[in-house]
Amino acid sequence: MKLRLSLHRYVQDHSMDPHARACVSFLDESLNPFDRDHAHGHFTGSAWLVDASGERVLLTHHRKLQRWLQLGGHADGESDLAAVALREAGEESGLRGLRVEPEIFDVDRHWIPERKHEPGHWHYDVRYVVRAGDSEDFVVSDESLELAWVSIDKLAHAPDTDESLRRMARKWLMRSG
């Protein structure tokens, strides 16, 4: 499986990352890890959607979670999480001409609290760099309260930024610098 190989390569380079080890273990031990109905949790694919200059990232003010986050969503049975990240980036932003890089950029395991008829569960989130095309004119989807292009440098240094966003911003700056 392509994801298994990619995750193992990622873990080799990030051996101290507890999120990476958790994702590999979950993949190795679960029968249907890409299915939203998996009781313990499931894989999601996210997009670190950067503009043409590589200096800004598109973030969503997530309607359900009430937080600023990267774009992304459920795999819904799809094991190609790069394709999931690309699909979700397009659906949530309305941007066309997006391109996804095939290698994993970041991983995160985070708890999703219980809501209505959905019990609390883990998201095993695999994140990919997605690059914007010529147009940066987004359209806000029903899943978002708002979208915004945000300076990656400011995101990396803002103390009130979600830790996983700050981690990705710092990774991006180290990679680009």
Side-chain angles (χ1 to χ4, degrees):
M1 173 188 289
K2 184 176 155 184
L3 179 61
R4 182 171 276 110
L5 292 172
S6 292
L7 272 174
H8 283 284
R9 273 195 307 270
Y10 184 87
V11 168
Q12 286 176 349
D13 294 338
H14 303 88
S15 61
M16 300 306 290
D17 183 346
H19 300 290
R21 291 193 309 271
C23 285
V24 168
S25 294
F26 181 66
L27 180 62
D28 289 343
E29 297 167 6
S30 300
L31 292 176
N32 298 312
F34 306 101
D35 190 341
R36 194 187 297 217
D37 294 333
H38 192 277
H40 171 73
H42 41 262
F43 276 102
T44 55
S46 287
W48 180 251
L49 177 49
V50 295
D51 69 354
S53 72
E55 295 179 3
R56 297 178 302 153
V57 62
L58 187 63
L59 299 181
T60 175
H61 189 193
H62 196 277
R63 184 173 299 280
K64 289 181 183 175
L65 298 176
Q66 297 288 311
R67 295 171 47 204
W68 283 97
L69 301 169
Q70 73 284 348
L71 304 173
H74 292 95
D76 291 328
E78 172 66 59
S79 64
D80 183 349
L81 295 180
V84 171
L86 182 61
R87 178 192 76 218
E88 292 290 330
E91 287 176 2
E92 293 180 14
S93 71
L95 293 173
R96 298 185 186 274
L98 300 175
R99 299 176 324 276
V100 65
E101 294 182 3
E103 291 302 314
I104 295 171
F105 176 61
D106 187 64
V107 296
D108 193 72
R109 181 181 85 138
H110 50 270
W111 182 251
I112 301 298
E114 179 179 354
R115 283 191 316 267
K116 296 183 184 176
H117 305 293
E118 184 178 57
H121 59 278
W122 290 102
H123 275 184
Y124 295 83
D125 194 31
V126 181
R127 292 133 175 217
Y128 295 86
V129 172
V130 175
R131 295 185 178 269
D134 294 334
S135 175
E136 296 176 0
D137 297 331
F138 55 77
V139 176
V140 179
S141 76
D142 292 341
E143 295 183 32
S144 301
L145 295 170
E146 185 178 0
L147 294 175
W149 287 105
V150 177
S151 162
I152 296 171
D153 186 58
K154 287 181 183 174
L155 195 61
H157 299 97
D160 60 340
T161 298
D162 177 88
E163 177 52 40
S164 74
L165 284 178
R166 196 166 46 248
R167 181 180 68 237
M168 286 189 289
R170 289 176 179 158
K171 275 185 182 181
W172 181 257
L173 293 173
M174 286 178 34
R175 173 183 159 166
S176 302

